């Protein structure tokens, strides 16, 4: 199974593509691709269009089977949460238009699945990712996206298309 993990952001959206193959010796998970889509400062509509085109390019190159997206976290700043939600909406739209199953995971579930602790910090996450996947990208948004993809591979084994509720 090939999973595209997305860590949405209005200025920088991380993506990570993992492939898991069941072999005789167990599961083998490899990093296919990872990176960030940087949206230049400017109108939100332009940044969202950049995210849309960037994610479409990732889909066309890497052909994932499913998409896993980090859910919006709750913030004291309503405007920031709204803008982040719009970037996340673009990620959901890209998956929906491509006809892919889209799964959503809250940050706490991602951290719990990867490290065993729902309040793990970024360094703890990176340490476990490195142990599981080998080399982890230096860009935090890209490694966060790989964590989303790995969470999906570890958490959801259902083949049917669904959007998980938190």
């Amino acid at each position: 199974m090939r999973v595209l993990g997305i860590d949405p952001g209005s200025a920088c959206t991380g993506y990570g593509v993992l492939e898991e193959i069941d072999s005789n010796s167990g599961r083998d998970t490899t990093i296919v691709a990872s990176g960030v889509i940087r949206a230049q400062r400017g109108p939100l509509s332009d940044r969202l269009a950049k995210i849309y085109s960037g994610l479409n390019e990732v889909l066309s190159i890497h052909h994932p089977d499913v998409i896993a997206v980090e859910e919006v976290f709750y913030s004291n700043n309503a405007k920031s949460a709204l803008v982040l939600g719009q970037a996340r909406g673009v990620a959901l739209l890209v998956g929906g238009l491509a006809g892919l199953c889209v799964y959503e995971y809250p940050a706490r579930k991602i951290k719990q699945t990867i490290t065993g602790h729902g309040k793990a910090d970024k360094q703890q996450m990176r340490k476990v990712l490195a142990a599981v996947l080998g080399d982890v990208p230096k860009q935090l948004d890209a490694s966060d996206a790989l964590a989303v993809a790995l969470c999906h591979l570890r958490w959801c084994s259902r083949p049917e298309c669904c959007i998980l509720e938190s």
Side-chain angles (χ1 to χ4, degrees):
M1 174 186 291
R2 188 172 278 200
V3 180
L4 168 58
I6 301 173
D7 178 35
S10 64
C12 188
T13 293
Y15 68 89
V17 181
L18 292 180
E19 185 160 30
E20 185 171 73
I21 300 168
D22 288 327
S23 64
N24 295 356
S25 60
R27 293 180 171 178
D28 182 30
T29 305
T30 58
I31 299 173
V32 175
S34 66
V36 295
I37 300 162
R38 295 196 189 282
Q40 300 297 326
R41 297 192 113 180
L44 180 59
S45 59
D46 291 349
R47 289 183 281 154
L48 295 175
K50 175 74 174 172
I51 294 166
Y52 177 82
S53 64
L55 289 175
N56 271 321
E57 183 177 348
V58 171
L59 286 180
S60 69
I61 294 170
H62 300 293
H63 308 287
D65 299 309
V66 297
I67 294 177
V69 181
E70 184 174 344
E71 286 184 350
V72 174
F73 62 92
Y74 295 100
S75 170
N76 292 334
N77 186 330
K79 184 176 180 181
S80 294
L82 181 60
V83 170
L84 179 60
Q86 291 169 330
R88 203 171 86 61
V90 169
L92 298 175
L93 175 69
V94 166
L97 290 176
L100 296 174
C101 296
V102 178
Y103 296 82
E104 300 177 65
Y105 296 97
R108 187 177 196 104
K109 183 176 287 294
I110 295 166
K111 292 175 182 182
Q112 176 73 35
T113 302
I114 303 302
T115 69
H117 180 30
K119 293 185 179 181
D121 64 26
K122 291 199 181 278
Q123 292 310 317
Q124 290 170 310
M125 293 286 288
R126 290 177 62 75
K127 185 176 180 181
V128 175
L129 285 172
V132 173
L133 302 173
D135 195 24
V136 177
K138 292 185 183 348
Q139 303 155 315
L140 289 177
D141 296 302
S143 63
D144 287 351
L146 287 171
V148 176
L150 185 59
C151 174
H152 176 77
L153 288 171
R154 298 296 180 255
W155 183 257
C156 188
S157 60
R158 293 179 282 168
E160 71 273 8
C161 188
C162 69
I163 295 180
L164 296 178
E165 300 294 330
S166 52

